[in-house]
Amino acid sequence: MEQVGICGSDVHYWTHGRIGDFIVKAPMVLGHEASAVVSKLGPDVTTLKVGDRVAIEPGVPCRTCHFCKSGRYNLCPDMKFCATPPYHGNLARYYVHAADFCFKLPDHVSFEEGALLEPLSVGVHATNRAGVGLGNTVLVCGAGPIGLVNILTAKAKGASFVCVTDIDETRLNKAKEIGADFVVRVANSDPSKVAEEIETVMGTKPDITIECSGAAKSIQTAIYATRSGGVVVLVGLGQDIVEVPVVNAGVREVDIRGIFRYVNCYPTALAMVASGKVNVKPLITHRFKLEESVKAFEAAKRGEGIKIMIECSRS
Ligand code: NAD
Ligand code: ZN
């Protein structure tokens, strides 16, 4: 293994031992945002060779169920996903993975960028599901790593203006640094008032809103803020049950769509990074060695920075 990024879910398993129905019942290796060098091949592998630098798509589905066969393998009920119990993650020196979920990195794409293809793929999938296209106005709620990759992918897909909300000024500054056109610091506790502020700042209601905080109030704001006939994509996962203004969404034909991870997005994410159309490097704020993993997780738990990377190679 080379580089592994820490995700909020890794920290959650580490501190709480569960996410919803996924419960850690035995010691589990964390990590799922990863890149590596192939050190050994299974007998039937023909697509890779020893020494290849790869990004690892962490979820391997069954390949035979209805969802897999219809091209929506992210919905496969038999998914084996790194660091989702009971499956080990890949924050380790060595790790075994299916060859068809390893993506060869061109020489000029770094291992850090390779690892960041994982969160970037969430942005690729969310903006696909949202249907972001040329000239769309887009609102991204929440400027954590997932909000930030959605800014990058929305801009790359031709969004004219992207507005970003957060309650945290530092996160909004990062959003501006990577290309947000407008930012709104959420201070008002009334979601419809926040939606009005967003419309004032953008000069229009957004065609598409990508909710990346999971906060109940922000989900409500997302619906109020979106233009009639528009789309709200729910990326953020917070409380199980959230009260939302359904009548407002219903009578204005605002479509509400969910997303789960990504499907067939790694090749797109890699192409965007390799071509220079998307720059994920500014997301990285901290670097640690594998031996310092506990320190790295403590920093992540304190909410420091954006993306914390752990180097797993001995060199
Ligand atoms: P994060 O916690 O780093 O970022 C969330 C951001 O939302 C923070 O910056 C926070 O300040 C901000 N926020 C909180 N309340 C807000 C409000 N009322 N209005 C606006 N912003 C607010 O998390 P992340 O790693 O960026 O992930 C974001 C969410 O996406 C999480 O809920 C995570 O579980 C979810 N997620 C979902 C998928 C999926 O497949 N659907 C994949 C990855 C992550
Ligand atoms: Zn399947």
Side-chain angles (χ1 to χ4, degrees), residues 173-190:
N173 288 337
K174 191 57 139 185
K176 276 192 259 180
E177 181 194 325
I178 65 154
D181 301 285
F182 305 110
V183 296
V184 170
R185 200 170 90 88
V186 178
N188 198 308
S189 59
D190 179 346

Side-chain angles (χ1 to χ4, degrees), residues 2-303:
E2 285 289 335
Q3 293 286 338
V4 178
I6 300 181
C7 164
S9 67
D10 292 314
V11 179
H12 203 91
Y13 280 126
W14 184 55
T15 52
H16 292 78
R18 67 182 295 162
I19 293 180
D21 293 338
F22 292 101
I23 301 163
V24 182
K25 292 180 181 152
M28 182 181 82
V29 178
L30 292 166
H32 62 270
E33 303 180 351
S35 60
V37 176
V38 176
S39 64
K40 215 170 176 183
L41 295 172
D44 300 326
V45 177
T46 56
T47 52
L48 294 170
K49 55 183 191 319
V50 170
D52 279 349
R53 304 165 66 253
V54 295
I56 297 175
E57 178 172 348
V60 180
C62 82
R63 302 183 179 87
T64 59
C65 74
H66 163 78
F67 301 101
C68 286
K69 293 183 102 170
S70 61
R72 297 184 78 173
Y73 66 80
N74 57 326
L75 306 179
C76 174
D78 295 320
M79 178 70 91
K80 294 179 172 58
F81 199 94
C82 290
T84 293
Y87 305 104
H88 284 305
N90 47 25
L91 180 59
R93 295 259 193 242
Y94 291 92
Y95 171 76
V96 180
H97 202 67
D100 58 334
F101 284 84
C102 295
F103 295 84
K104 248 186 102 160
L105 298 174
D107 292 344
H108 71 282
V109 174
S110 68
F111 286 120
E112 288 185 340
E113 290 172 301
L116 286 169
L117 296 186
E118 202 281 341
L120 185 60
S121 291
V122 176
V124 171
H125 186 50
T127 51
N128 281 348
R129 291 270 294 154
V132 176
L134 268 187
N136 285 151
T137 48
V138 176
L139 170 67
V140 173
C141 305
I146 294 298
L148 297 176
V149 293
N150 275 281
I151 299 168
L152 294 174
T153 48
K155 294 290 280 189
K157 284 181 175 180
S160 56
F161 293 114
V162 176
C163 178
V164 183
T165 67
D166 204 293
I167 51 176
D168 183 301
E169 195 76 48
T170 323
R171 294 228 150 163
L172 289 175
N173 288 337
K174 191 57 139 185
K176 276 192 259 180
E177 181 194 325
I178 65 154
D181 301 285
F182 305 110
V183 296
V184 170
R185 200 170 90 88
V186 178
N188 198 308
S189 59
D190 179 346
S192 58
K193 288 277 181 307
V194 178
E196 283 170 21
E197 269 179 63
I198 292 162
E199 183 173 0
T200 306
V201 168
M202 292 185 84
T204 178
K205 279 179 174 291
D207 303 315
I208 288 163
T209 300
I210 305 175
E211 205 302 308
C212 301
S213 79
K217 292 240 159 131
S218 181
I219 296 170
Q220 294 162 5
T221 298
I223 293 172
Y224 289 126
T226 306
R227 136 187 297 184
S228 297
V231 178
V232 172
V233 172
L234 301 178
V235 183
L237 304 170
Q239 293 160 248
D240 265 355
I241 295 180
V242 173
E243 203 171 291
V244 292
V246 271
V247 173
N248 181 283
V251 300
R252 296 195 304 112
E253 296 195 356
V254 171
D255 293 352
I256 302 172
R257 298 179 192 161
I259 76 129
F260 189 52
R261 297 172 176 153
Y262 33 74
V263 56
N264 294 314
C265 294
Y266 258 68
T268 309
L270 175 54
M272 296 312 282
V273 169
S275 64
K277 294 283 189 296
V278 161
N279 180 11
V280 286
K281 287 181 196 155
L283 268 57
I284 300 171
T285 51
H286 293 61
R287 292 179 171 89
F288 292 90
K289 304 284 269 178
L290 185 60
E291 295 83 347
E292 304 168 312
S293 292
V294 173
K295 255 170 75 185
F297 270 77
E298 278 162 356
K301 189 179 163 190
R302 286 192 298 270

